[in-house]
Amino acid sequence: MQATAIAQPNIALIKYWGKRDVARNLPAVGSISITLCDLFTRMRVEFDAQLSADELTVNEMPDAGMLPRLSACLDRVAGPRRSSARITSTCNFPIAAGLASSASSFAALTVAGAAASGREPGVDELASLAGRASGSAARSLLGGFVELSNSDDDIQVRELLTPADWPLAVVVAITQPGPKRVGSTEAMEISRKTSPFYTRWVDGQEQDLATARAAVLERDFDRLSAIAEHNCLKMHSIMWASRPPVVYWNAATMRCLQTVRQLQGDGTPVFFTIDAGPQVKAVCLPEAAGRVEAALRATPGVVDIMSSGLGAGARLEGVS
Ligand code: DP6
């Protein structure tokens, strides 16, 4: 049996950083994100009893490096006695560069893997399965504004607003296209174990979530800007103060922040956020997208720009 699913990456406005249970990949904190519409990962999973082992191609190239993580995810989705699978992934944006490729990949893999094994799990079970593979992946199951919350011994996701409710735009300034040197899973553990700010971060997150949730529900752009930038800078401060320090930014990252500050000074409704990589995501009202894109494109060190609106959650494209 085979199934194909598509999922979009999401950008966290209130960040997930740190795990409360490493073995089960449970986050230490809740998070709020927006799902994008123009970037995507498409995953085809075909179980084949004739295959002796799982096979993976990413953008038509064999990829042995990623395979163990995907195989482990399929074991949980389809059960350990499943047949081997042919996994075909197509992604229209740079992988492992701080653009949430693992979120869209594991959300799509979970949905396709479940369908290809004849299962129809509900969103809670899908979130649990996707989150085990990558914490941020659970958020890409849903569209628009998504909140991920911790429950007693698991996670839950829910949609706060649909894309149509508040159609924000996102402009991504790529300052360095290659894969990052330290992955977010490893960097989170370095932060948890060594950063003097880590406990403060965990303790403060509920307040940030409450502020951002209210701002989203009220569509209060200024309030959302302030809390999202604060939460992002706090997350990076934890990393900078850890041992060894984890610094994802480069000079162009900083220049992009200055560009966003200049735009804000001119009255443009825009704010920045940065994940585990050097790219800057500028979130703005749709009418400002052209201005934001032009200003970031003109910022020295920016090598590419990608723009997107908000989109839907992971979905099946076909099963046979
Ligand atoms: C900075 O979801 O990639 O993007 O669960 O270890 O796979 P794992 O981590 P991952 O971390 C995302 C970190 C972040 C913030 C966020 O998306 O909330």
Side-chain angles (χ1 to χ4, degrees):
M1 224 171 149
Q2 69 86 25
T4 303
I6 189 164
Q8 267 86 21
N10 67 78
I11 307 286
L13 305 182
I14 301 297
K15 309 288 188 188
Y16 149 47
W17 196 253
K19 299 171 197 286
R20 72 178 193 279
D21 182 334
V22 173
R24 298 178 59 206
N25 203 41
L26 292 174
V29 292
S31 49
I32 291 178
S33 60
I34 43 180
T35 303
L36 305 183
C37 66
D38 292 309
L39 316 184
F40 68 83
T41 302
R42 179 173 283 119
M43 279 276 177
R44 181 173 180 275
V45 175
E46 181 185 11
F47 291 112
D48 182 346
Q50 309 300 316
L51 275 184
S52 57
D54 291 340
E55 292 174 359
L56 169 67
T57 58
V58 177
N59 292 338
E60 296 179 3
M61 299 289 288
D63 189 334
M66 278 287 285
L67 184 57
R69 231 174 130 190
L70 274 74
S71 293
C73 178
L74 281 186
D75 287 347
R76 287 188 293 268
V77 170
R81 289 202 301 279
R82 69 177 172 84
S83 301
S84 292
R86 204 170 281 115
I87 310 166
T88 314
S89 167
T90 321
C91 194
N92 74 339
F93 62 98
I95 293 169
L99 290 171
S101 56
S102 68
S104 49
S105 298
F106 285 108
L109 183 71
T110 303
V111 171
S117 55
R119 301 188 53 226
E120 290 180 23
V123 70
D124 285 350
E125 191 186 346
L126 284 172
S128 185
L129 289 164
R132 276 291 288 265
S134 185
S136 53
R139 297 187 312 238
S140 276
L141 293 170
L142 301 179
F145 292 76
V146 178
E147 177 161 7
L148 184 150
S149 312
N150 273 323
S151 60
D152 278 349
D153 66 348
D154 215 328
I155 54 165
Q156 283 176 335
V157 288
R158 73 182 168 119
E159 190 180 85
L160 295 175
L161 287 183
T162 68
D165 289 333
W166 201 16
L168 299 185
V170 180
V171 179
V172 183
I174 311 281
T175 64
Q176 210 172 296
K180 56 201 175 199
R181 278 196 302 273
V182 187
S184 45
T185 308
E186 184 187 348
M188 277 186 209
E189 278 300 278
I190 296 172
S191 296
R192 183 175 69 83
K193 289 179 182 156
T194 70
S195 180
F197 304 149
Y198 181 77
T199 311
R200 287 292 295 274
W201 156 259
V202 173
D203 291 345
Q205 188 79 343
E206 277 307 317
Q207 185 59 53
D208 288 5
L209 285 166
T211 305
R213 189 185 308 119
V216 167
L217 294 176
E218 288 158 24
R219 299 167 182 73
D220 182 338
F221 191 82
D222 289 346
R223 201 160 166 221
L224 185 61
S225 303
I227 193 64
E229 289 189 353
H230 170 69
N231 191 265
C232 161
L233 294 175
K234 218 161 43 169
M235 179 184 79
H236 285 277
S237 305
I238 303 167
M239 298 184 216
W240 286 34
S242 67
R243 292 182 172 170
V246 179
V247 179
Y248 284 116
W249 301 15
N250 58 33
T253 310
M254 196 66 216
R255 278 189 222 110
C256 289
L257 298 200
Q258 286 169 337
T259 297
V260 171
R261 282 284 177 267
Q262 273 159 11
L263 286 162
Q264 289 170 334
D266 297 341
T268 305
V270 60
F271 65 87
F272 64 78
T273 189
I274 305 165
D275 290 301
Q279 333 304 359
V280 175
K281 289 110 186 194
V283 182
C284 60
L285 294 180
E287 59 268 28
R291 231 175 313 148
V292 171
E293 201 176 311
L296 284 170
R297 200 180 284 285
T299 301
V302 171
V303 294
D304 201 3
I305 292 282
M306 291 189 301
S307 292
S308 178
L310 305 193
R315 60 221 173 262
L316 268 180
E317 289 191 322
V319 189
S320 57

